[in-house]
Amino acid sequence: MSQTNTRSGDIPVTAGEDLTASTDRLVKLASDDGATVAKLPEANSDLALFVVIDGAEAGKNASLRPLNAERNVRVPLKGTCNPGDVLVLADVATAADKGKVRTLPTAAGTYRGLLIAEEAGIDGQLVLARPATGIGNITVASP
């Protein structure tokens, strides 16, 4: 059997930066000299495919939940949404919004669809959403 040393559920990953205030936010896996670390997204196109369940100081283990279509999650929302809306990363240019989600913008650009809203949401809410398998990059053309 080749599927040895695999696991499901929440996983411990070393925080590559201070994640103590990042519970419920989306993070990505990165490399720190070959070691796996968790970091907040740095680009709107990052594969932020993990939810911080228990944050940690840099260098300590954080608990992450991999996004999985079989399980919905609650993540902090920037702006508003309706059920069925595609959710992408909030603009990472604003440090306070890193790891939050927003509805797919109408502004021209390329965005990565990560989640589908399962309920209406308002700014700051931990909105119920399900990972969106197969969406990937979405390009919004300028009018």
Short mmCIF file of all heavy atoms in Angstrom, two decimals, residues 7 22-23 31 34 44 57 70 78 83 86 106 108 112 133 139:
data_model
loop_
_atom_site.label_atom_id
_atom_site.label_comp_id
_atom_site.label_asym_id
_atom_site.label_seq_id
_atom_site.Cartn_x
_atom_site.Cartn_y
_atom_site.Cartn_z
N ARG A 7 -3.11 11.27 6.82
CA ARG A 7 -4.08 11.49 7.89
C ARG A 7 -5.20 12.38 7.40
O ARG A 7 -5.06 13.10 6.43
CB ARG A 7 -3.40 12.08 9.13
CG ARG A 7 -2.72 13.40 8.84
CD ARG A 7 -1.99 13.94 10.05
NE ARG A 7 -1.18 15.07 9.62
CZ ARG A 7 0.06 15.27 9.97
NH1 ARG A 7 0.66 14.43 10.76
NH2 ARG A 7 0.72 16.32 9.54
N SER A 22 -5.40 34.88 14.42
CA SER A 22 -5.87 34.50 13.08
C SER A 22 -6.84 33.32 13.08
O SER A 22 -7.10 32.73 12.03
CB SER A 22 -4.67 34.16 12.19
OG SER A 22 -3.85 35.30 12.04
N THR A 23 -7.41 32.98 14.23
CA THR A 23 -8.37 31.89 14.29
C THR A 23 -9.50 32.16 13.29
O THR A 23 -9.98 33.28 13.17
CB THR A 23 -8.93 31.74 15.71
OG1 THR A 23 -7.84 31.44 16.58
CG2 THR A 23 -9.97 30.63 15.80
N SER A 31 7.10 27.17 2.58
CA SER A 31 8.36 26.54 2.96
C SER A 31 9.25 27.54 3.67
O SER A 31 9.42 28.67 3.22
CB SER A 31 9.07 26.00 1.72
OG SER A 31 10.34 25.50 2.06
N GLY A 34 12.77 24.58 3.70
CA GLY A 34 12.38 23.19 3.52
C GLY A 34 11.38 22.68 4.54
O GLY A 34 10.81 21.61 4.37
N ASN A 44 -3.61 37.66 -3.69
CA ASN A 44 -5.01 37.27 -3.84
C ASN A 44 -5.17 35.94 -4.57
O ASN A 44 -6.22 35.33 -4.52
CB ASN A 44 -5.80 38.37 -4.55
CG ASN A 44 -5.94 39.60 -3.69
OD1 ASN A 44 -5.93 39.52 -2.46
ND2 ASN A 44 -6.04 40.75 -4.31
N GLU A 57 1.91 31.38 18.10
CA GLU A 57 3.01 32.31 17.85
C GLU A 57 3.91 31.70 16.78
O GLU A 57 3.94 30.48 16.58
CB GLU A 57 3.82 32.52 19.13
CG GLU A 57 3.05 33.16 20.24
CD GLU A 57 3.85 33.19 21.54
OE1 GLU A 57 5.03 32.77 21.54
OE2 GLU A 57 3.29 33.62 22.55
N GLU A 70 -16.56 17.89 1.83
CA GLU A 70 -17.48 17.12 2.67
C GLU A 70 -17.83 17.85 3.97
O GLU A 70 -18.67 17.39 4.73
CB GLU A 70 -16.88 15.76 3.00
CG GLU A 70 -16.73 14.88 1.78
CD GLU A 70 -16.11 13.53 2.11
OE1 GLU A 70 -15.86 13.24 3.31
OE2 GLU A 70 -15.89 12.77 1.18
N LYS A 78 -15.57 39.79 4.54
CA LYS A 78 -15.37 41.22 4.26
C LYS A 78 -16.48 41.62 3.30
O LYS A 78 -16.57 41.08 2.20
CB LYS A 78 -13.99 41.46 3.65
CG LYS A 78 -13.70 42.88 3.29
CD LYS A 78 -13.44 43.70 4.52
CE LYS A 78 -13.07 45.12 4.12
NZ LYS A 78 -12.82 45.94 5.27
N PRO A 83 -26.40 33.31 -0.30
CA PRO A 83 -26.17 31.90 -0.56
C PRO A 83 -25.87 31.66 -2.04
O PRO A 83 -26.51 32.25 -2.91
CB PRO A 83 -27.50 31.24 -0.16
CG PRO A 83 -28.10 32.19 0.83
CD PRO A 83 -27.68 33.55 0.36
N VAL A 86 -19.83 32.93 -4.97
CA VAL A 86 -18.45 32.44 -4.96
C VAL A 86 -17.65 33.38 -4.06
O VAL A 86 -17.72 34.61 -4.20
CB VAL A 86 -17.85 32.42 -6.38
CG1 VAL A 86 -16.37 32.06 -6.34
CG2 VAL A 86 -18.61 31.44 -7.27
N THR A 106 -16.54 42.52 -9.03
CA THR A 106 -16.89 42.83 -10.42
C THR A 106 -15.75 43.55 -11.11
O THR A 106 -15.78 43.72 -12.33
CB THR A 106 -18.17 43.69 -10.48
OG1 THR A 106 -17.97 44.88 -9.72
CG2 THR A 106 -19.37 42.91 -9.94
N ALA A 108 -12.21 44.18 -12.83
CA ALA A 108 -11.38 43.33 -13.69
C ALA A 108 -10.22 42.75 -12.90
O ALA A 108 -9.64 43.41 -12.06
CB ALA A 108 -10.87 44.14 -14.89
N ARG A 112 -9.24 33.65 -7.36
CA ARG A 112 -9.31 32.21 -7.13
C ARG A 112 -10.55 31.91 -6.30
O ARG A 112 -10.65 32.32 -5.15
CB ARG A 112 -8.07 31.71 -6.41
CG ARG A 112 -8.04 30.20 -6.22
CD ARG A 112 -6.74 29.73 -5.61
NE ARG A 112 -5.58 30.10 -6.39
CZ ARG A 112 -5.15 29.45 -7.47
NH1 ARG A 112 -5.83 28.42 -7.92
NH2 ARG A 112 -4.08 29.84 -8.12
N THR A 133 -14.82 22.91 -4.91
CA THR A 133 -13.91 22.10 -5.72
C THR A 133 -14.15 22.39 -7.20
O THR A 133 -15.28 22.56 -7.64
CB THR A 133 -14.12 20.60 -5.45
OG1 THR A 133 -15.47 20.25 -5.74
CG2 THR A 133 -13.81 20.25 -4.01
N THR A 139 -11.47 34.78 -14.20
CA THR A 139 -11.04 36.06 -14.75
C THR A 139 -12.26 36.92 -15.02
O THR A 139 -13.18 36.51 -15.72
CB THR A 139 -10.24 35.87 -16.05
OG1 THR A 139 -9.10 35.06 -15.76
CG2 THR A 139 -9.78 37.19 -16.63
#
